[in-house]
Amino acid sequence: MKKLVIFDLDGTLLNTIADLAASTNHALASLGFPTHDTAAYPFMVGNGINKLFERALPEGEKTEDNIRRVRQAFVPHYDVHNADASSPYPGIPELLHTLQSQGIQLAVASNKYQAATEKLVAHYFPHITFTAVFGQREGINVKPDPTIVFDILRIANVSKDEVLYVGDSGVDMQTAINAGVTSCGVTWGFRPRAELEALQPDYIVDKAEEIHL
């Protein structure tokens, strides 16, 4: 019996790609770099914003200094605009309410920076009580490093076999593998089903209502 479900945020609970693209393009354009179509961004996100900026910068410009400059332009814009066009995926609010009513603990494990992770979860899921909401924190390795999962397990006071980890990318499936917890890939997010299948998760679902414990 699972007692805790850990969800990835972007591409799993929320479709955030339009706002991520808009703020990244704003930052790139403000520094004189070329921008990208929104359709290109699903393959740039998932490993934290510094990796996003590295992928978005032109070849030959992917320096630590340029990544820092893009971040400085991105964060103030995204902090204001990160809920402009984002929305929960179909069935997600209902799924969270159902799990909560069943006494299942819920948590978020994201590679989005901590402040934005907290803001979006509070904004879109105000009636859900999460045991932990963790994004990218200073000094903590990003997923697929399993530290974020282990930190949540300690707070929830559950064992690995009592956990279901739900995410939309290979990074998420590798995180679950690294943490030794049950994995569930979702196909409605930013990455193709083949990326999930390559890591052989315990489950793959196409709709939120297919997640039941």
Side-chain angles (χ1 to χ4, degrees):
M1 176 63 185
K2 302 302 185 189
K3 297 181 179 179
L4 167 69
V5 183
I6 301 174
F7 290 95
D8 170 53
L9 184 60
D10 299 68
T12 301
L13 294 178
L14 296 177
N15 185 348
T16 54
I17 207 69
D19 290 330
L20 285 166
S23 289
T24 306
N25 281 339
H26 164 82
L28 291 169
S30 72
L31 296 168
F33 294 118
T35 58
H36 304 275
D37 291 338
T38 300
Y41 278 96
F43 289 94
M44 297 189 202
V45 300
N47 297 89
I49 58 173
N50 284 357
K51 182 60 71 171
L52 162 62
F53 305 148
E54 178 187 320
R55 290 166 174 160
L57 283 162
E59 291 300 326
E61 300 287 356
K62 301 177 187 292
T63 64
E64 286 189 13
D65 185 57
N66 281 340
I67 290 169
R68 179 186 56 78
R69 293 169 65 216
V70 174
R71 182 173 180 136
Q72 287 178 335
F74 170 94
V75 169
H77 188 273
Y78 190 66
D79 282 346
V80 173
H81 296 285
N82 59 19
D84 286 4
S86 297
S87 62
Y89 285 101
I92 287 296
E94 295 83 357
L95 171 64
L96 295 177
H97 278 287
T98 297
L99 293 173
Q100 182 169 266
S101 69
Q102 293 171 347
I104 305 297
Q105 293 189 73
L106 304 171
V108 172
S110 176
N111 276 346
K112 184 189 292 292
Y113 63 98
Q114 182 70 25
T117 300
E118 291 177 355
K119 177 186 172 182
L120 288 172
V121 169
H123 178 78
Y124 286 105
F125 309 114
H127 303 300
I128 301 298
T129 301
F130 289 92
T131 297
V133 175
F134 283 153
Q136 183 178 355
R137 296 164 290 159
E138 287 299 318
I140 307 293
N141 291 334
V142 298
K143 301 183 296 184
D145 186 287
T147 300
I148 192 170
V149 173
F150 296 151
D151 287 346
I152 292 170
L153 295 192
R154 277 194 294 274
I155 293 169
N157 194 28
V158 299
S159 60
K160 291 181 181 181
D161 60 347
E162 296 172 322
V163 180
L164 180 68
Y165 182 101
V166 181
D168 71 305
S169 71
V171 169
D172 290 307
M173 299 306 97
Q174 191 63 55
T175 303
I177 291 168
N178 291 347
V181 300
T182 304
S183 55
C184 177
V186 305
T187 62
W188 57 75
F190 299 160
R191 301 299 180 92
R193 174 186 279 266
E195 180 173 313
L196 301 171
E197 290 175 339
L199 286 155
Q200 299 180 313
D202 296 294
Y203 305 99
I204 295 180
V205 299
D206 299 314
K207 298 178 181 178
E209 52 265 34
E210 293 176 31
I211 299 174
H212 47 80
L213 307 183

